[in-house]
């Protein structure tokens, strides 16, 4: 049998928002003395970690194109790159759209959003308004290189944007889970769970206690199955395929107007949930009994009617059933949602028109926006806690309220008010509470991060601020729409684990490499722990496993990728999986960049999936894949 040829090009993502509340009841801002710590120096050739922090938090941000004044604005894996560039890991820059609005790769000017932690989709921010977003540039096989020059990135992104705008039209071609490459072989957690991949927040203390992922006798993996990418019609350039989930028996993946459950070992279809329109966004959180939430459009988009992301549904990942579907209104207008999350038996979905929430089990609405509100929730983050990012004030005089809220009522439990002028913030972890922001648009790399803020969940007071210059660190967040969508980091053991930027390797190697370093969330200082990727590899945190950090190592051109477990105390690395080094398999894996692809790992299974299907390979003999799955014996 033949081996799977190279796969597709894949774009970005975007976040959402929170519960309404009476502004008069909001707590006063907490005073905070921000600390700017000096981390230990990096190895030769690495980033300068002794560099002074970037401009202080509270810096006003450069103006950004926004939707019509009616909708408070606020995408990713990289989005409108004017002010705070949020990029759920996307290398692209802002793309000009009609009427000066930056557009996301999507048919008819409708933004799409990419995922697990990054699940992209078709999500639209304001009701009926085009949204900012960016198409990531094509990743190249065989490890990564230095970042593209920003001017080149802008030019490439603009060309892609024009192609996407001209494209128009959305069509769906179903894909098969048949394994056509069997010869390619190299030899949870409370009432709410973090999906198999994502920057989970858990673990306490140090060492490997609580870790569930163990090294097999043979770490060499084989291709379990692959799913061909949906075919786009001639008039369509890119189609969102946002969302993927793992249970003990099922790997589920969003299609254009469906969610399909595959046997996680064989790739055979177990169930299909048909939807009337495209999936816009999927939560990276699941309940203890494997239910999750998605946002989708009520019909397929057309040139005359692009449709909005008004439908919120809970689906059962074990049975493949749609539990319920709901909508909400802001005044008399239906809300087009941007993000959705799950926490404490509640589904919360947000938008630039405000947020709404429902009971997971019954679908009963718990809250919706109030027309009298002078502030609005710009996003929600779930898991152990439910956190809302609430926006108050006018542009350039904005103040963000980071609120720990009751998932049943939306009542504010504690609140931290960020300095005025910070337009966007992403929630990296809800417990402990860690927020990322691009202060003064100083990151300069489209990552959406210049600083991290560690906040005490019990008091709402700032514990410490961590400066993370974009030129030194490789984490990315989409703080504009998909508040929870971050990559290249994980939180646990009261520490922030973050990937450094790529830099030249040591010795005679001409390749790039990087590290994972740790910051103490109480002091803001580096702990001195560092996990090296090794020459020609690049390492990215995926999530916590008990007190250990699970990470993906992107390989050089002649090797397969690896999954490693990093001991939370000693930082010793244990290899859990190494993928086949055959050329065709490497080509497929190389296009699943950890910056924006959805990467889930659990129990010896690694599932890598595209967040978009595109026609960029049209006219070539290259076969594109929506999913490639690896497993050890």
């Amino acid at each position: 049998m033949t081996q799977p040829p190279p796969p597709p090009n894949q774009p970005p993502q975007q976040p959402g928002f929170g519960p309404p509340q009476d502004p008069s009841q909001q707590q006063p801002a907490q005073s905070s003395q921000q600390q700017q710590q000096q981390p230990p120096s990096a190895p030769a050739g690495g980033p300068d970690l002794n560099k002074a922090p970037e401009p202080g938090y509270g810096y006003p941000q450069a103006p950004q194109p926004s939707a019509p004044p009616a909708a408070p604005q606020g995408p990713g894996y990289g989005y409108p790159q004017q002010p705070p560039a949020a990029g759920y890991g996307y290398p692209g820059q802002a793309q000009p759209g009609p009427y000066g609005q930056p557009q996301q790769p999507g048919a008819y000017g409708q933004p799409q959003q990419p995922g697990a932690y990054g699940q992209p989709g078709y999500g639209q921010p304001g009701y009926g308004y085009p949204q900012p977003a960016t198409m990531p540039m094509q990743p190249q096989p065989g490890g990564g290189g230095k970042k593209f020059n920003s001017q080149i990135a802008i030019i490439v992104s603009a060309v892609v944007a024009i192609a996407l705008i001209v494209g128009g039209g959305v069509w769906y071609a179903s894909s098969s889970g048949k394994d056509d490459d069997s010869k390619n072989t190299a030899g949870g957690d409370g009432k709410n769970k973090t999906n198999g991949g994502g920057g989970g927040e858990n673990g306490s203390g140090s060492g490997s206690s609580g870790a569930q992922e163990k090294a097999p006798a043979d770490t060499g993996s084989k291709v379990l199955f692959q799913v061909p990418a949906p075919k786009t019609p001639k008039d369509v350039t890119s189609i969102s395929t946002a969302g993927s989930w793992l249970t003990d028996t099922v790997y589920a993946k969003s299609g254009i107007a469906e969610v399909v459950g595959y046997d996680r070992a064989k790739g055979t279809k177990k169930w299909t949930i048909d939807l009337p329109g495209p999936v816009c966004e999927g939560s990276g959180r699941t309940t203890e009994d494997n239910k999750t939430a998605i946002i989708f459009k009520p019909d397929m988009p057309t040139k005359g009617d692009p449709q909005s992301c008004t439908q919120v549904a809970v689906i059962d990942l074990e049975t493949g059933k749609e539990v319920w579907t709901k909508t909400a209104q802001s005044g008399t207008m239906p809300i087009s949602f941007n993000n959705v999350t799950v926490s404490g038996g509640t589904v919360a979905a947000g938008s630039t028109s405000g947020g709404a929430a429902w009971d997971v089990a019954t679908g009963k609405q718990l809250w919706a926006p109030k027309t009298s509100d002078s502030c609005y929730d710009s996003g929600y983050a779930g898991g152990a806690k439910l956190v809302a990012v609430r926006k108050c004030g006018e542009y350039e005089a904005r103040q963000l309220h980071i609120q720990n809220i009751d998932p049943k009522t939306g009542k504010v439990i504690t609140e931290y008010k960020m300095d005025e002028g910070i337009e966007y913030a992403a929630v990296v972890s809800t417990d402990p509470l860690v927020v990322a922001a691009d202060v003064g648009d100083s990151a300069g790399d489209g990552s959406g991060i210049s600083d991290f803020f560690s906040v005490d969940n019990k008091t709402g007071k700032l514990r410490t601020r961590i400066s993370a210059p974009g030129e030194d660190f490789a984490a990315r967040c989409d703080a504009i729409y998909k508040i929870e969508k971050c990559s290249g980091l994980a939180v646990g053991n009261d520490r922030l684990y973050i990937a450094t930027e790529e830099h030249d390797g040591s010795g005679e190697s001409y390749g790039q490499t990087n590290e994972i370093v740790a910051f103490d969330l109480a002091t803001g200082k580096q702990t001195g722990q560092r996990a090296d990727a090794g020459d020609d590899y690049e390492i990215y945190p995926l999530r916590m496993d008990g007190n250990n950090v699970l990470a993906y190592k992107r390989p050089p051109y002649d090797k397969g990728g690896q999954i490693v477990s990093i001991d939370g105390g000693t930082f010793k690395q244990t290899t859990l999986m190494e993928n086949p080094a055959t050329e065709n398999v490497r080509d497929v894996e190389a296009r699943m960049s950890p910056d924006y692809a959805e990467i889930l790992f659990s129990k010896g299974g690694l599932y890598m999936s595209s967040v978009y299907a595109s026609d960029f390979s049209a006219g070539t003999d290259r076969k594109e894949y929506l999913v490639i799955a690896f497993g050890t014996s």
Side-chain angles (χ1 to χ4, degrees), residues 44-69:
D48 180 8
L49 301 181
N50 284 316
K51 180 178 177 181
E54 297 294 316
Y57 95 97
Y59 242 63
Q61 305 207 0
Q64 166 178 358
S66 59

Side-chain angles (χ1 to χ4, degrees), residues 264-326:
R264 59 175 288 166
K266 302 174 183 177
T268 53
K269 287 186 179 181
K270 301 187 71 170
W271 48 259
T272 299
I273 299 175
D274 293 316
L275 301 168
V279 174
C280 304
E281 176 66 3
S283 173
R285 310 287 186 176
T286 60
T287 64
E288 191 175 33
D289 59 351
N290 293 314
K291 292 182 176 64
T292 192
I294 61 172
I295 304 169
F296 63 93
K297 296 186 176 185
D299 205 346
M300 293 301 292
T302 65
K303 289 183 178 180
D305 187 359
Q307 297 293 317
S308 298
C309 302
T310 57
Q311 312 296 300
V312 177
V314 164
I315 60 174
D316 189 319
L317 297 171
E318 287 294 345
T319 64
K321 302 295 183 183
E322 187 175 331
V323 180
W324 51 255
T325 297
K326 301 292 181 180

Side-chain angles (χ1 to χ4, degrees), residues 129-492:
Y129 293 121
Q131 295 302 321
T134 316
M135 182 78 158
M137 289 174 286
Q138 175 77 20
Q140 299 301 316
K146 295 181 179 178
K147 288 189 177 180
F148 282 95
N149 176 282
S150 59
Q151 287 85 354
I152 296 176
I154 292 172
I155 294 171
V156 173
S157 297
V159 172
V160 173
I162 294 171
L164 292 172
I165 293 169
V166 172
V170 173
W171 201 267
Y172 175 72
S174 62
S175 60
S176 166
K178 182 179 179 182
D179 184 353
D180 59 9
D181 196 11
S182 59
K183 290 185 179 180
N184 290 319
T185 170
D189 313 307
K191 294 184 178 180
N192 292 112
K193 301 184 292 185
T194 298
N195 204 5
E201 62 264 7
N202 55 28
S204 58
S206 62
S208 59
S209 64
Q212 298 181 8
E213 307 296 343
K214 309 298 181 184
D218 181 2
T219 58
S221 72
K222 66 177 181 179
V223 175
L224 298 177
F225 63 91
Q226 58 276 323
V227 180
K231 301 299 181 183
T232 60
K234 64 179 181 180
D235 293 332
V236 174
T237 302
S238 179
I239 297 177
S240 169
T241 56
S244 59
W245 303 268
L246 269 178
T247 73
D248 289 343
T249 60
V250 173
Y251 169 73
K253 175 64 183 171
S254 291
I256 305 305
E258 66 177 8
V259 179
V260 179
Y262 303 91
D263 182 291
R264 59 175 288 166
K266 302 174 183 177
T268 53
K269 287 186 179 181
K270 301 187 71 170
W271 48 259
T272 299
I273 299 175
D274 293 316
L275 301 168
V279 174
C280 304
E281 176 66 3
S283 173
R285 310 287 186 176
T286 60
T287 64
E288 191 175 33
D289 59 351
N290 293 314
K291 292 182 176 64
T292 192
I294 61 172
I295 304 169
F296 63 93
K297 296 186 176 185
D299 205 346
M300 293 301 292
T302 65
K303 289 183 178 180
D305 187 359
Q307 297 293 317
S308 298
C309 302
T310 57
Q311 312 296 300
V312 177
V314 164
I315 60 174
D316 189 319
L317 297 171
E318 287 294 345
T319 64
K321 302 295 183 183
E322 187 175 331
V323 180
W324 51 255
T325 297
K326 301 292 181 180
T327 60
Q329 291 186 326
S330 177
T332 60
M333 299 295 290
I335 298 175
S336 182
F337 293 103
N338 303 317
N339 83 325
V340 65
T341 195
V342 178
S343 178
T346 293
V347 171
S351 77
T352 52
S353 299
W358 300 265
D359 181 79
V360 169
T362 65
K364 176 185 176 182
Q365 189 169 75
L366 303 177
W367 66 76
K370 298 176 182 177
T371 54
S372 60
D373 282 347
S374 59
C375 303
Y376 73 98
D377 292 345
S378 67
Y380 291 116
K385 305 285 186 181
L386 183 59
V387 173
V389 178
R390 189 166 178 82
K391 287 192 174 186
C392 297
E394 299 299 322
Y395 183 75
E396 291 189 335
R398 189 91 68 196
Q399 186 170 51
L400 302 183
H401 300 189
I402 310 301
Q403 301 175 335
N404 176 14
I405 63 176
D406 185 323
K408 295 301 182 185
T409 64
K411 179 181 178 181
V412 176
I413 299 171
T414 59
E415 178 179 72
Y416 168 67
K417 293 182 179 179
M418 304 188 77
D419 281 8
E420 287 188 5
I422 299 178
E423 286 291 321
Y424 306 100
V427 179
V428 175
S429 165
T430 60
D431 189 23
L433 180 53
V434 182
V435 177
D438 185 359
V439 178
D441 194 22
S442 58
D445 62 350
S447 66
I449 305 171
S450 67
D451 298 84
F452 291 94
F453 302 84
S454 174
V455 179
D456 189 318
N457 247 327
K458 295 181 180 179
T459 65
K461 293 182 178 180
L462 182 70
R463 299 173 68 194
T464 189
R465 168 184 170 237
I466 299 170
S467 178
E471 64 187 25
D472 293 336
F473 297 98
R476 292 179 176 273
C477 287
D478 172 13
I480 297 181
Y481 293 119
K482 291 184 168 39
I483 302 302
E484 276 189 294
K485 297 306 168 65
C486 297
S487 66
L489 48 71
V491 173

